[in-house]
Amino acid sequence: MTPIHDQSYRRYAGVRQEPGAAWLVIAATGIRTVLTKKFFWLVLLAAWGQFFVRAVMFYLSANFSNLDLLAPSVETFRQFFEIQEIFVLFVTVYVGSGLIANDRRSNALQIYLSKPLTRAEYVAGKLGTLLFFLLLVTLAPALMLLFLEMMFSASLAFVGANLFLLPAITLYALVEVLLSGFTMLALSSLSTSARYTAMLYAGVVLFTAAVFGIVNGITNSSSLAWLSFRANLDQIGDVIFRLQPRFESPWLLSVVVVALLIGLSVFVLERRVRGVEVVT
Amino acid sequence: MSVPVVAAEGVSKWYGQVIGLNDITVDVQPGVTGLLGPNGAGKSTFLKLITGQLKPSQGTVRVLGEPIWGNPALYHRLGFCPDQDSFYERMTGQQWVTALVRLNGLSETDAVEAARRALDTVGLLDAADKKIGAYSKGMRQRVKLAQAVVHDPDVLVLDEPLAGMDPIARRKVIRLIKGWGREGKSVLVSSHILHEIESMTSTILLINNGRILAEGNIHQIRDLIDEHPHTVRIQADDPRRLAHAFIEHDGVRSLTFEKGAVVVETGKPDAFYGRLTQIAASGELGEVHEVSSPDDNLQAVFEYLVK
């Protein structure tokens, strides 16, 4: 029988990743895990449905002059994001609710954070997983639509006339996914149950929308739109796409609310993502 | 004397009004060191300070000469096996260890290979592709050990690694820890059972009420332990047949039965554990599932020490 010390370890002679890259491992593992779920592929397919419909519309308008009404405009891209909101909500809940809650339930944080991984890298990895899928249903199809418009029309006229559209699409997508991502991660860090986190997030989105709707109905004024999670994004989106803001509340107030929500989420994550939970 | 593996200087840790560690100054030298103390003594707090998971309220903790707090680069040289279960039950042992070692910067291919070697080291290669949810208590402890050694650390910090293991698994893990010590790794292992620690090392840190009571090679503790009865709870297929075998053992002072288990009070723990391991290995009296020891025995000794 081989002595026990001979069965043991050979020193690792390979190349180690540079410090600071561990978040990629967390993100890649998370992405792979989600992609193994068949149901999620159906969700992705549904989320890309609008892209396919609009792509056909762009094609028809570019090739048939009597179908000009299908031609893209700035509003088309704004509407695209509005319709995608439901998928943003669904993907955020499906992918994000368990990202930290499941680690907390299985005490995995204690082991993760005993590895060469900072808390910031851990959060970045989890955020990376969620942002990947959120951008996949927002930024990616929107940019591809813009690209298809150029391809089908064989012209840069539309893009040239709306040069702000590319940065607008990118900026709005980033604002939307960062707000959704940080809020969901913060809620996920508060619980050990993915299901509870999912309900909490959906509750926040729907409840704040309902409160705003009721106030709006009673006062016949949308000056309190900043109360609603979604209304803030809508308001900021209109400004980014150079459209008339749809609510009476100042759009800068919506920017402040979004920034505060992200800041609050970062604060919660800083307090909750710890290897050892310290109860005082 | 060589550079201490762990150097704690004036370290205190408070949890609000509760004190976890109280002004500890201690050097841990290379080799295997046992951290012995009853539950709530501050063992886990000390180990979490050493592994950089907690920040000292006061004082400094240095590992391998460098401050550990806020220094994740140093974690490459540390392996930590926590006392709690920390698993994704649906993952296989291979998947779990592979995923964790990737955080140490190994490529996917190297991580798979390293995980297999680590699982082989702890004797779990046959069960590598089984889901962790189907593992026994002993296997779960060993897969935690595998993730602690998989990146070949210089310092291993093991929090109650033998807790709840059956005698055979316990013997295997003790041999592993001694083997790692012989290989040149520094191992700091905690337990509330002197017998366990003694079987791995004679270098002991005694901790109680957040203070280090004594350090070094403390043989006197043995005598004190022997003066106090030692209680062992054995969960087995047939506790009554086991009890019958124990009655003949001259060190046994009393036997009581619980659901699926027998609780033995013995005045000769060494001899008793030896006999128990023989019985478990032979399998003639059915399978022994889990052995645990309440810390009341040790508490009595500590109360005596601090008088």
Side-chain angles (χ1 to χ4, degrees):
Chain A
M1 191 176 173
T2 322
I4 203 88
H5 58 276
D6 287 342
Q7 291 174 17
S8 190
Y9 225 74
R10 288 201 299 268
R11 193 161 284 272
Y12 178 62
V15 178
R16 288 189 200 274
Q17 272 176 345
E18 289 299 310
W23 73 272
L24 278 172
V25 175
I26 300 263
T29 306
I31 290 167
R32 270 205 300 263
T33 305
V34 174
L35 288 177
T36 57
K37 295 170 182 170
K38 285 179 190 161
F39 177 70
F40 188 72
W41 282 96
L42 291 177
V43 173
L44 276 186
L45 194 63
W48 275 71
Q50 187 192 181
F51 165 81
F52 293 118
V53 171
R54 294 214 183 254
V56 171
M57 289 163 69
F58 286 11
Y59 176 80
L60 293 175
S61 73
N63 290 282
F64 301 95
S65 55
N66 57 338
L67 290 173
D68 270 356
L69 74 163
L70 297 179
S73 65
V74 172
E75 283 83 355
T76 308
F77 287 88
R78 181 72 192 94
Q79 285 164 5
F80 176 82
F81 277 104
E82 284 183 46
I83 293 170
Q84 289 303 91
E85 280 175 10
I86 185 68
F87 295 106
V88 169
L89 175 67
F90 202 86
V91 169
T92 305
V93 167
Y94 190 86
V95 176
S97 57
L99 279 176
I100 297 181
N102 288 343
D103 283 349
R104 283 172 48 77
R105 189 181 60 208
S106 58
N107 295 317
L109 272 172
Q110 195 179 1
I111 282 196
Y112 280 151
L113 297 176
S114 71
K115 306 289 175 192
L117 173 79
T118 62
R119 292 189 294 150
E121 283 179 295
Y122 171 82
V123 172
K126 295 293 180 182
L127 193 63
T129 303
L130 186 49
L131 294 198
F132 173 82
F133 289 110
L134 286 175
L135 291 172
L136 199 60
V137 299
T138 53
L139 183 64
L143 289 180
M144 279 190 69
L145 276 179
L146 198 59
F147 178 72
L148 284 182
E149 194 285 330
M150 287 188 287
M151 295 284 292
F152 291 150
S153 64
S155 151
L156 291 174
F158 175 75
V159 175
N162 301 287
L163 270 178
F164 72 95
L165 204 49
L166 181 62
I169 287 170
T170 309
L171 181 62
Y172 180 70
L174 285 177
V175 171
E176 185 175 33
V177 302
L178 284 174
L179 177 64
S180 307
F182 271 112
T183 310
M184 175 48 100
L185 279 194
L187 293 176
S188 186
S189 73
L190 292 172
S191 172
T192 55
S193 161
R195 198 167 296 173
Y196 176 73
T197 305
M199 287 192 290
L200 200 59
Y201 181 83
V204 167
V205 174
L206 300 176
F207 177 75
T208 57
V211 167
F212 167 55
I214 291 167
V215 172
N216 193 20
I218 294 169
T219 63
N220 208 19
S221 159
S222 60
S223 56
L224 291 177
W226 57 271
L227 286 173
S228 163
F229 189 92
R230 279 301 330 171
N232 283 308
L233 282 175
D234 289 339
Q235 189 79 330
I236 293 171
D238 289 343
V239 174
I240 289 175
F241 281 88
R242 297 186 178 180
L243 301 169
Q244 182 65 32
R246 67 190 69 183
F247 302 119
E248 292 162 24
S249 68
W251 65 270
L252 266 175
L253 185 57
S254 290
V255 173
V256 170
V257 170
V258 167
L260 282 176
L261 278 174
I262 292 177
L264 180 66
S265 301
V266 172
F267 174 76
V268 170
L269 288 166
E270 199 283 324
R271 302 288 299 174
R272 298 290 294 178
V273 175
R274 294 180 183 213
V276 180
E277 191 167 354
V278 179
V279 181
T280 57
Chain B
M1 192 169 270
S2 52
V3 176
V5 175
V6 176
E9 198 176 330
V11 172
S12 298
K13 180 69 193 174
W14 297 287
Y15 301 104
Q17 299 290 318
V18 180
I19 191 152
L21 282 184
N22 190 358
D23 195 21
I24 281 185
T25 297
V26 68
D27 286 350
V28 178
Q29 300 300 328
V32 181
T33 303
L35 182 64
L36 186 67
N39 288 340
K43 298 188 299 291
S44 290
T45 299
F46 186 53
L47 296 185
K48 281 161 189 163
L49 286 164
I50 290 170
T51 51
Q53 298 193 43
L54 281 176
K55 185 183 181 183
S57 307
Q58 193 175 293
T60 54
V61 180
R62 299 176 80 83
V63 176
L64 300 166
E66 291 183 49
I68 184 72
W69 176 251
N71 189 5
L74 191 54
Y75 298 179
H76 278 298
R77 302 179 67 187
L78 271 177
F80 177 52
C81 175
D83 56 341
Q84 288 176 314
D85 270 2
S86 312
F87 303 117
Y88 273 103
E89 306 277 339
R90 290 180 189 173
M91 286 176 111
T92 66
Q94 172 75 40
Q95 287 169 337
W96 189 67
V97 179
T98 302
L100 286 172
V101 75
R102 290 222 58 208
L103 295 176
N104 286 93
L106 271 66
S107 69
E108 182 85 45
T109 320
D110 289 344
V112 170
E113 180 56 30
R116 286 199 86 73
R117 280 203 306 270
L119 289 165
D120 191 18
T121 300
V122 300
L124 271 184
L125 197 55
D126 292 344
D129 296 322
K130 264 191 187 175
K131 292 210 163 97
I132 293 175
Y135 280 9
S136 68
K137 177 75 183 172
M139 291 162 88
R140 293 161 86 90
Q141 290 290 76
R142 279 187 284 156
V143 78
K144 276 198 289 182
L145 285 172
Q147 68 75 33
V149 297
V150 64
H151 56 293
D152 186 26
D154 298 313
V155 182
L156 273 170
V157 179
L158 314 176
D159 198 355
E160 302 269 4
L162 304 180
M165 279 188 175
D166 66 74
I168 309 292
R170 188 177 287 249
R171 191 168 62 181
K172 280 182 188 166
V173 170
I174 289 171
R175 287 175 65 191
L176 276 172
I177 292 171
K178 288 165 82 171
W180 289 328
R182 280 198 300 271
E183 284 175 3
K185 290 188 195 305
S186 294
V187 186
L188 186 56
V189 53
S190 81
S191 175
H192 61 266
I193 303 168
L194 179 68
H195 173 82
E196 285 181 1
I197 293 285
E198 266 205 320
S199 56
M200 298 175 224
T201 179
S202 58
T203 309
I204 299 174
L205 287 176
L206 282 179
I207 186 169
N208 194 30
N209 289 332
R211 285 181 177 276
I212 299 285
L213 294 182
E215 56 179 299
N217 195 330
I218 309 170
H219 290 294
Q220 297 94 310
I221 295 295
R222 290 285 310 134
D223 304 331
L224 285 170
I225 281 284
D226 284 344
E227 286 171 18
H228 291 84
H230 187 91
T231 310
V232 185
R233 184 179 184 279
I234 303 140
Q235 207 171 321
D237 282 344
D238 193 345
R240 291 195 177 273
R241 282 180 70 199
L242 269 183
H244 189 260
F246 293 146
I247 285 171
E248 296 160 7
H249 198 274
D250 63 351
V252 172
R253 296 185 185 184
S254 73
L255 289 164
T256 48
F257 291 97
E258 293 178 2
K259 193 178 176 187
V262 57
V263 180
V264 182
E265 194 178 79
T266 172
K268 295 184 176 176
D270 269 355
F272 177 78
Y273 277 114
R275 173 80 181 119
L276 178 60
T277 305
Q278 280 175 5
I279 291 172
S282 71
E284 62 196 28
L285 299 179
E287 197 175 337
V288 174
H289 301 297
E290 193 175 316
V291 178
S292 57
S293 176
D295 65 337
D296 308 1
N297 324 295
L298 196 61
Q299 187 62 48
V301 175
F302 276 98
E303 281 167 9
Y304 176 84
L305 273 174
V306 295
K307 268 179 191 168

